[in-house]
């Protein structure tokens, strides 16, 4: 899979398997792998070989097809129960990004709505729905960039967190798409890239994507963000999201909430960019979002080297919640949405 040129697609449906760039090897090596079974897709999502909210939704959608394509073509109720079981299994891989359950439910709903069709047709419909979800995400991410660019001033010094680019989505990215579109309009002076402890999605992946696009950037440790803002070196912060409630409370990579608090303290706009598939209209309050807790090793080790004594107690949440009141605007494919979010979300996405 070539990633040269402008934006690329990190997930492909080959006709028989899901082809992904295994992100755990980046930036050292660009390794492409083929996922041929639902178990391999589950494992790839769990281990962050494919990661980023929209990308795991896309991979999960293809994974559901892989998990049902060999099922017996007997009675609908038996087939559908199995489809639900496979979807539940895939959804157990990572809990926070709603894009995964959203994509799986899209497929289940499509299957159910056509339940009088032959099972072979339903399987084909499942695949077609996955392909539509994938293509649609590319289109949504492009639109996010086109709308978001209006918020970016000339000579912008933008701070971002985690990875939100083509690796994390169908194509273009979310926050990354805004940066990319701003760069095309020659508005970007510098992107401050938070390294994003502990898995270093910023240092390993965002820098890799920025380099490809020849966008000027500087890598900084997460805890340098406050000092950068204090020195007047940041004009705005923009991040992606893993789940946004209908009131605008936002789950994103751990460290995002600190950035939002800091941005408020320094009077800097804090923007979130995400497609509608990240908005969970079933949830009101950010408190109700399940936060993934990850393994101790990510904190007690740096690479393969132990950096903390044995038997230390570790707390390692992968995400945090930024309350809506700290978010200046949420950039979606339908435009830039400013507070109060609830009524506007209901009108646009309800
Ligand atoms: O744990 P990760 O790397 O999957 O976390 C990803 C993020 O937090 C991204 O910011 C989010 O998914 C938005 S990406 C378009």
């Amino acid at each position: 899979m070539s990633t040269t040129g402008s934006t690329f697609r990190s997930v492909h449906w080959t006709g028989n398997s899901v082809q992904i760039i295994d992100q755990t090897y980046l930036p050292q090596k660009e390794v492409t792998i083929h996922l041929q079974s639902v178990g391999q897709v589950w494992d790839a999502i769990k281990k962050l070989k494919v990661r980023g909210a929209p990308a795991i939704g896309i991979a999960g959608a293809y994974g559901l097809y892989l998990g049902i394509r060999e099922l017996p073509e007997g009675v609908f109720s038996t087939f559908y129960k199995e489809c639900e079981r496979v979807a539940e299994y895939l959804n157990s891989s990572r809990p926070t990004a709603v894009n995964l359950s959203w994509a799986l439910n899209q497929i289940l709903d499509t299957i159910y709505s056509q339940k009088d069709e032959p099972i072979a047709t339903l399987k084909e419909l499942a695949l077609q729905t996955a392909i539509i979800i994938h293509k649609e995400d590319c289109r949504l991410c492009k639109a996010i960039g086109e709308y978001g660019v209006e918020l970016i001033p000339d000579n912008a010094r933008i701070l971002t967190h985690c990875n939100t680019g083509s690796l994390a989505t169908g194509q273009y990215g979310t926050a990354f798409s805004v940066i990319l579109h701003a760069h095309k309009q020659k508005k970007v002076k510098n992107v401050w890239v938070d390294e994003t402890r502990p898995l270093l999605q910023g240092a390993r992946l965002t820098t890799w994507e920025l380099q490809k696009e020849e966008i000027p950037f500087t890598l900084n440790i997460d805890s340098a963000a406050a000092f950068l803002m204090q020195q007047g070196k940041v004009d705005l912060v923009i991040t992606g999201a893993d789940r946004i409630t209908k009131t605008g409370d936002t789950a994103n990579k751990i460290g995002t909430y600190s950035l939002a608090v800091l941005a408020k303290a320094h009077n800097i706009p804090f923007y979130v960019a995400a497609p509608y598939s990240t908005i969970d209209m079933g949830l009101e309050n950010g408190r109700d979002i399940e936060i993934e807790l990850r393994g101790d090793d990510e904190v007690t080790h740096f690479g393969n080297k132990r950096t903390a004594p044995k038997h230390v107690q570790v707390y390692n949440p992968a995400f945090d919640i930024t309350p809506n009141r700290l978010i200046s605007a949420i950039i979606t494919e339908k435009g830039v949405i400013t507070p109060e979010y609830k009524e506007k979300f209901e009108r646009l996405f309800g």
Side-chain angles (χ1 to χ4, degrees), residues 48 51-54 94 161-165 168-169 173-174 201 240-242 252-253 292 318-319:
L48 275 65
R51 48 144 297 285
R94 296 194 78 190
H161 194 67
C162 199
N163 170 265
T164 64
T169 61
T174 54
Q201 288 91 333
D242 285 82
N252 192 49
K253 180 53 55 193
E292 177 185 7
F319 302 96

Side-chain angles (χ1 to χ4, degrees), residues 21-32 204 208:
I21 298 175
D22 183 340
Q23 300 186 31
T24 59
Y25 287 101
L26 289 173
Q28 287 88 355
K29 274 194 282 183
E30 210 172 303
V31 175
T32 296
R204 296 188 302 108
W208 184 78

Side-chain angles (χ1 to χ4, degrees), residues 294-330:
R294 294 189 60 87
D296 295 3
D297 282 11
E298 293 178 0
V299 184
T300 56
H301 289 66
F302 205 85
N304 291 327
K305 194 174 180 311
R306 173 173 282 282
T307 51
K310 286 183 181 161
H311 314 302
V312 293
Q313 191 167 302
V314 170
Y315 177 55
N316 185 20
F319 302 96
D320 60 24
I321 310 290
T322 301
N324 52 20
R325 67 188 154 77
L326 296 177
I327 302 172
S328 315
I330 298 177

Side-chain angles (χ1 to χ4, degrees), residues 1-14 17-23 26 29-35 49-50 58-59 62 134 166-171 208 212:
M1 189 186 313
S2 166
T3 59
T4 31
S6 185
T7 60
F8 59 92
R9 293 189 179 193
S10 59
V11 180
H12 279 271
W13 174 249
T14 66
S17 63
V18 196
Q19 192 186 0
I20 60 163
I21 298 175
D22 183 340
Q23 300 186 31
L26 289 173
K29 274 194 282 183
E30 210 172 303
V31 175
T32 296
I33 57 170
H34 289 261
L35 311 173
K49 295 177 184 181
V50 56
I58 294 163
Y62 289 126
H134 191 175
S166 294
L167 288 170
T169 61
Q171 198 179 8
W208 184 78
K212 272 185 184 302

Side-chain angles (χ1 to χ4, degrees), residues 11-87:
V11 180
H12 279 271
W13 174 249
T14 66
N16 193 38
S17 63
V18 196
Q19 192 186 0
I20 60 163
I21 298 175
D22 183 340
Q23 300 186 31
T24 59
Y25 287 101
L26 289 173
Q28 287 88 355
K29 274 194 282 183
E30 210 172 303
V31 175
T32 296
I33 57 170
H34 289 261
L35 311 173
Q36 279 153 340
S37 67
V38 60
Q40 288 178 350
V41 173
W42 185 93
D43 184 72
I45 296 173
K46 182 81 186 165
K47 295 187 176 150
L48 275 65
K49 295 177 184 181
V50 56
R51 48 144 297 285
I56 64 175
I58 294 163
Y62 289 126
L64 180 49
Y65 170 68
L66 290 176
I68 65 169
R69 69 176 166 177
E70 308 290 346
L71 287 179
E73 299 181 357
V75 202
F76 175 79
S77 58
T78 316
F79 170 72
Y80 190 69
K81 227 176 231 145
E82 269 305 287
C83 293
E84 286 182 314
R85 193 193 57 75
V86 174

Side-chain angles (χ1 to χ4, degrees), residues 166-297:
S166 294
L167 288 170
T169 61
Q171 198 179 8
Y172 301 102
T174 54
F176 194 96
S177 180
V178 176
I179 294 169
L180 184 69
H181 281 78
H183 172 65
K184 289 198 171 131
Q185 294 184 10
K186 303 196 185 326
K187 284 175 154 187
V188 179
K189 185 166 179 197
N190 183 48
V191 181
W192 293 109
V193 182
D194 271 4
E195 62 171 350
T196 317
R197 283 275 296 147
L199 293 183
L200 304 178
Q201 288 91 333
R204 296 188 302 108
L205 310 176
T206 302
T207 55
W208 184 78
E209 289 202 44
L210 287 165
Q211 243 169 11
K212 272 185 184 302
E213 301 295 338
E214 299 183 3
I215 301 174
F217 69 89
T218 311
L219 176 64
N220 57 272
I221 58 170
D222 300 339
S223 41
F227 189 45
L228 284 171
M229 291 183 195
Q230 191 185 49
Q231 292 176 93
K233 290 182 176 171
V234 179
D235 299 310
L236 64 118
V237 179
I238 182 162
T239 73
D242 285 82
R243 191 184 293 241
I244 303 175
T245 70
K246 67 170 163 188
T247 58
D249 290 348
T250 294
N252 192 49
K253 180 53 55 193
I254 189 76
T256 303
Y257 172 43
S258 332
L259 289 176
V261 172
L262 287 171
K264 186 68 139 192
H266 292 88
N267 217 8
I268 293 166
F270 179 89
Y271 301 121
V272 169
Y276 79 97
S277 50
T278 304
I279 301 172
D280 185 346
M281 292 300 285
L283 278 188
E284 179 103 12
N285 198 305
R287 267 198 314 267
D288 298 327
I289 299 175
E290 183 180 348
I291 298 293
E292 177 185 7
L293 292 176
R294 294 189 60 87
D296 295 3
D297 282 11

